[in-house]
Amino acid sequence: DGGITQSPKYLFRKEGQNVTLSCEQNLNHDAMYWYRQDPGQGLRLIYYSQIVNDFQKGDIAEGYSVSREKKESFPLTVTSAQKNPTAFYLCASNLGFTDTQYFGPGTRLTVL
Amino acid sequence: AQTVTQSQPEMSVQEAETVTLSCTYDTSENNYYLFWYKQPPSRQMILVIRQEAYKQQNATENRFSVNFQKAAKSFSLKISDSQLGDTAMYFCAFMMNSGGYQKVTFGIGTKLQVIP
């Protein structure tokens, strides 16, 4: 089955630690995105990538980093520089400019 | 900058009845796309319906239809014959091409409860 997978579903982090969230897709989509969702707010864009080995900052990139070494994979690292990382993180992908974005199931990150 | 406003934080509807969720947006662009996404308690974001701004005809998908008023910048979602599985958060989203990438702006959502 084609789709987008995210792991883990739940992640707990101690303050000062970096953590990496996984996002994989087998839809042959060129573009991938990371969003953050907080209660009472819409989704906010963290990073996006349109092709392998290229990515751009979104609206709230501070404290996050990404890589795009393979077309299928777009991992997100939440660094210790992110002051309020507890949130729900969603990965999305699509074919191109006019294509609908499709989402993975999300990862809930909690900082202890 | 584009903005998307959903003015109804919460709504409820009786099973089998019809409900309409409101969405307005602000843009100076002429070419764009509009979406409704559903987020059930599982938190998976699911596409409900898509509308291209250049199309005058309102999009429909089974029990879901939109009322797209381009001049008024309004994009409401009508759910007919509501079912318990429709209980979810509904997000309105605006998409356009911006500086060579796809920019999507989301509203803050409307929580819909379908009552048996």
Side-chain angles (χ1 to χ4, degrees):
Chain A
D1 290 336
I4 304 171
T5 58
Q6 291 186 243
S7 61
K9 187 173 182 178
Y10 299 98
L11 187 57
F12 297 90
R13 188 194 94 172
K14 294 182 180 179
E15 285 192 19
Q17 288 182 337
N18 293 354
V19 290
T20 298
L21 283 60
S22 170
C23 177
E24 304 273 336
Q25 54 96 2
N26 62 2
L27 301 168
N28 200 33
H29 284 172
D30 291 312
M32 298 185 74
Y33 309 80
W34 274 105
Y35 291 92
R36 171 178 171 143
Q37 185 178 25
D38 294 283
Q41 299 192 39
L43 278 64
R44 294 182 290 166
L45 182 66
I46 305 172
Y47 268 97
Y48 66 97
S49 168
Q50 296 186 99
I51 56 173
V52 174
N53 293 323
D54 183 63
F55 48 83
Q56 303 295 329
K57 293 181 179 180
D59 300 321
I60 57 165
E62 185 176 353
Y64 300 97
S65 65
V66 294
S67 63
R68 187 88 186 274
E69 297 177 359
K70 299 186 301 180
K71 187 175 184 178
E72 302 79 18
S73 178
F74 191 41
L76 173 74
T77 296
V78 184
T79 75
S80 57
Q82 170 51 237
K83 297 305 179 187
N84 185 21
T86 294
F88 189 64
Y89 292 86
L90 285 157
C91 177
S93 71
N94 65 0
L95 277 172
F97 285 146
T98 61
D99 187 46
T100 301
Q101 289 188 16
Y102 294 93
F103 287 83
T107 293
R108 172 69 182 175
L109 172 63
T110 302
V111 174
L112 302 175
Chain B
Q2 281 62 234
T3 59
V4 176
T5 302
Q6 295 180 249
S7 58
Q8 305 152 313
E10 295 189 26
M11 295 191 71
S12 62
V13 62
Q14 293 286 337
E15 195 175 4
E17 296 296 310
T18 296
V19 64
T20 298
L21 309 183
S22 300
C23 173
T24 59
Y25 58 94
D26 187 26
T27 185
S28 57
E29 298 293 323
N30 193 48
N31 295 319
Y32 52 88
Y33 304 80
L34 295 162
F35 304 86
W36 280 97
Y37 283 93
K38 166 185 175 181
Q39 189 178 43
S42 67
R43 303 201 74 173
Q44 169 85 55
M45 289 286 282
I46 301 166
L47 175 69
V48 175
I49 202 163
R50 165 186 164 121
Q51 175 79 46
E52 290 81 358
Y54 62 83
K55 290 186 178 179
Q56 292 185 337
Q57 187 172 5
N58 289 326
T60 63
E61 286 289 342
N62 300 315
R63 300 182 293 108
F64 299 89
S65 62
V66 298
N67 183 3
F68 174 46
Q69 301 290 329
K70 190 172 183 179
K73 298 178 183 176
S74 171
F75 183 61
S76 61
L77 174 70
K78 185 172 80 172
I79 305 174
S80 303
D81 186 25
S82 296
Q83 301 176 0
L84 296 178
D86 296 333
T87 292
M89 284 289 290
Y90 286 81
F91 291 93
C92 179
F94 171 99
M95 184 182 86
M96 59 173 280
N97 293 325
S98 175
Y101 82 99
Q102 189 185 75
K103 172 71 174 176
V104 182
T105 303
F106 290 85
I108 63 172
T110 295
K111 184 177 182 180
L112 177 67
Q113 179 75 40
V114 179
I115 302 168

